[in-house]
Amino acid sequence: MQRTALRRVAVTALALAALGGGALAGAGSASAATEKNGYVETNEFGLYYSPDRGGAVFDLYLEDDNFSNDWFHGPGNGTGQSVNDNTASYWNNDLYTWLVYTDAYRGGIQGSLPAGHIGNASGDFRNKISSAYVKF
């Protein structure tokens, strides 16, 4: 089963447990991690508007094949700006390697960011990233 499907199943299970009298805090945490809220939480991949993880952030829990309709969330410089071709740094706070591409739908140049990696985008990727996927 793909990672996206597994995460959706886990979030649904937590929500059902909450409705059945389970821990509401657990369901709240799971739903917060799936939102693009401008904070890189555990098991998320973050793209930053500015170098050195500065400015607004676009946080991903699930892969995104086209950033053209995505925006940086605050706080910070770049809030409200398009994520597409507008990323200067990143943080992989996930357990998996993430792949980024300079074009939508896995097009262009591919870059690989292992779990825990923090850094500034190189010349090939700075302000050119348009999609991101989990590597299995």
Side-chain angles (χ1 to χ4, degrees):
M1 190 180 279
Q2 289 188 351
R3 180 175 185 237
T4 302
L6 287 173
R7 287 197 177 184
R8 286 185 182 147
V9 168
V11 169
T12 302
L14 286 172
L16 290 174
L19 290 173
L24 290 175
S29 296
S31 65
T34 61
E35 295 176 14
K36 296 174 181 174
N37 61 7
Y39 298 94
V40 180
E41 297 160 315
T42 302
N43 298 323
E44 287 188 333
F45 175 67
L47 300 167
Y48 291 83
Y49 180 78
S50 300
D52 302 318
R53 291 190 302 156
V57 67
F58 178 66
D59 53 313
L60 289 165
Y61 183 72
L62 301 172
E63 45 204 40
D64 191 328
D65 57 14
N66 187 347
F67 292 164
S68 64
N69 292 316
D70 295 310
W71 314 101
F72 284 104
H73 298 274
N77 196 24
T79 298
Q81 297 294 314
S82 174
V83 176
N84 193 52
D85 294 336
N86 216 6
T87 298
S89 60
Y90 41 77
W91 175 21
N92 184 357
N93 195 26
D94 201 350
L95 299 174
Y96 298 93
T97 295
W98 279 74
L99 301 175
V100 294
Y101 294 84
T102 56
D103 292 329
Y105 307 104
R106 298 183 196 260
I109 302 169
Q110 174 190 304
S112 179
L113 304 168
H117 191 78
I118 296 170
N120 291 323
S122 69
D124 286 339
F125 293 94
R126 186 174 178 140
N127 297 325
K128 296 176 186 173
I129 298 172
S130 296
S131 59
Y133 300 83
V134 179
K135 180 180 177 183
F136 295 103

